[in-house]
Structure formats: structure tokens, C-alpha cells
Amino acid sequence: MTEKQKIVLASNNPGKVREINALLEDISLNIRSQSEFNVPEVEETGLSFVENALIKARNAASHTGNATIADDSGIEILALNGKPGIYSARFAGVGATDEANLYKLIEEIKPLDEKNRQARFVCLMVFLRHADDPTPIIAQGIWDGVVITEPRGENGFGYDPIFYVPTHDCTSAELPPETKNQLSHRGQALRSLITQINEM
Ligand code: IMP
């Protein structure tokens, strides 16, 4: 791949776009947001993170004619059999705010024993050379933590205020953005994806 080739980032989630752009700051790829191209939202009909990431990447590639990067991510609570998982962004209903999703999850974890609150953030990130690319590049990141019922911290987005990170004794919303990017599911997946793209 040439350095100048345009790659479209298939996300309209401002929290995600902010983190991904920060992670891509030092990378010599020409990354552009799909909002510049008026790419319409696509329904996430997949039953797994990777299927939904591919749906979003393919949608952006077919509307722009460019290579694309997309991620699908969410939080999984072990004791809730992985809920909300791929439904994290619409846990409180389609179009729900981050806050509504957060408080719905808090209500679901309140009955759980404190010892049973293990959680993880999952991110699947894909790269498509074009809409019909039969060999997408795929990377995964997983970040383990524990959920709490009292939100803490102002950074990040989504479920960050209730995702307690034992190694740092704070929630991911209390971590400086650079530290979150070093540790996070999204940071892990994106670094792995970029390594694979550079090897192309
Ligand atoms: P997606 O845009 O369909 O991938 O939905 C991802 C959803 O998962 C977001 O709307 C958040 O609710 C949640 N999520 C994913 N990554 C994070 C994170 O880093 N912090 C907090 N919430 C996250």
C-alpha cells in the first residue's frame, strides 16, 4: 500500500473517532472520517463483533470507493453471559444515549454478588481494501476489568465510568486518555491492525 492511499474510518461515534485519531497520530496513513463522505448509517445485523465490523467497513467502502477501517466493540459481563456484548450501543433501546445504556447496565449488575462483576471490553477492528475484499485484515483487543455501580470519572465515553481497572485502581473514565489508549481493547486492536497493514 502506498503512503498516500486514502483510508476511510467507518464510524460516527465521536468518542471512538477521538480515540482512534489519537492512536493514529504518528501513523503515515491518510485516514479520513466517513462523515466527510456523507456515508449513511448501516444496520448492524451481525451476531458477532467481527460480522458487524465487516458490515460497517463494507458500507463505507461501497459508498466511498476507498479502503476502510471499522471497529465493533462493546462490554461483556461474565455473570450476565456476556451481555450486553454486541448490543452495548443499543442496550437501552435503538438510539439510546450512552447515559441510558450505562444506567440500564448498572441496574442489571446491582443484584450480582460483588465477586461476580468481572467484565471485559472487546474490540474487533477490520481493514478492507475495497467493498468486495475477500481477505479482510482482522484484529482483536480485549481489556479485562470489573464493573462498579457508582459511576466515576469524566474521560472517555459509554461505559467507561463503571469500568474499574484493577491494575490502575480507577475507572477507565478516570484514566488520562493516553493511558486508556495504551491499555484499551481499541488500542490493542488498532496497533495489531496497523502492524498487519504495514506488512502488506
Ligand atoms: P458500536 O459503535 O456498535 O461498536 O458500539 C460500541 C458501544 O460499546 C459504545 O456505544 C459503548 O457503549 C461501548 N463501548 C465500546 N468501547 C468502549 C469504550 O472504550 N469505553 C466505553 N464504552 C465503550
Side-chain angles (χ1 to χ4, degrees):
M1 146 136 357
T2 62
E3 282 192 3
K4 293 273 177 271
Q5 183 169 343
K6 214 183 288 169
I7 300 177
V8 175
L9 182 58
S11 178
N12 293 321
N13 177 324
K16 269 188 190 181
V17 171
R18 193 171 53 240
E19 287 185 9
I20 293 172
N21 279 334
L23 281 157
L24 291 170
E25 232 166 38
D26 304 329
I27 309 279
S28 61
L29 297 172
N30 181 7
I31 308 279
R32 313 284 289 275
S33 167
Q34 74 171 15
S35 58
E36 288 179 42
F37 301 85
N38 297 319
V39 175
E41 291 276 350
V42 63
E43 208 185 334
E44 296 179 29
T45 52
L47 296 179
S48 63
F49 291 107
V50 69
E51 286 171 282
N52 283 337
L54 286 168
I55 287 170
K56 288 186 264 189
R58 207 171 282 130
N59 177 55
S62 68
H63 279 88
T64 64
N66 290 112
T68 53
I69 288 176
D71 95 325
D72 197 56
S73 51
I75 191 167
E76 294 184 334
I77 314 300
L78 209 68
L80 298 178
N81 295 321
K83 263 204 324 190
I86 61 167
Y87 303 104
S88 295
R90 44 192 151 138
F91 193 41
V94 175
T97 60
D98 274 8
E99 200 186 9
N101 289 326
L102 178 82
Y103 282 97
K104 176 162 169 59
L105 187 57
I106 288 175
E107 289 311 311
E108 298 235 357
I109 56 184
K110 271 184 185 163
L112 298 177
D113 191 281
E114 297 237 345
K115 293 195 299 283
N116 259 336
R117 294 189 179 170
Q118 292 98 329
R120 61 185 203 168
F121 274 130
V122 178
C123 175
L124 259 294
M125 202 162 286
V126 302
F127 172 80
L128 286 184
R129 297 159 189 86
H130 54 82
D132 303 319
D133 188 350
T135 55
I137 294 177
I138 297 172
Q140 176 172 293
I142 289 181
W143 191 18
D144 290 307
V146 174
V147 276
I148 57 172
T149 52
E150 297 286 331
R152 282 164 35 186
E154 303 295 327
N155 297 332
F157 65 100
Y159 300 96
D160 280 324
I162 59 164
F163 187 77
Y164 176 77
V165 185
T167 49
H168 289 63
D169 189 22
C170 65
T171 68
S172 49
E174 293 174 306
L175 288 172
E178 316 76 67
T179 312
K180 182 185 170 192
N181 280 340
Q182 277 163 17
L183 302 171
S184 79
H185 50 315
R186 189 163 298 101
Q188 295 171 38
L190 190 55
R191 283 189 290 274
S192 161
L193 195 79
I194 296 298
T195 305
Q196 296 180 65
I197 292 173
N198 283 334
E199 282 167 7
M200 262 162 48

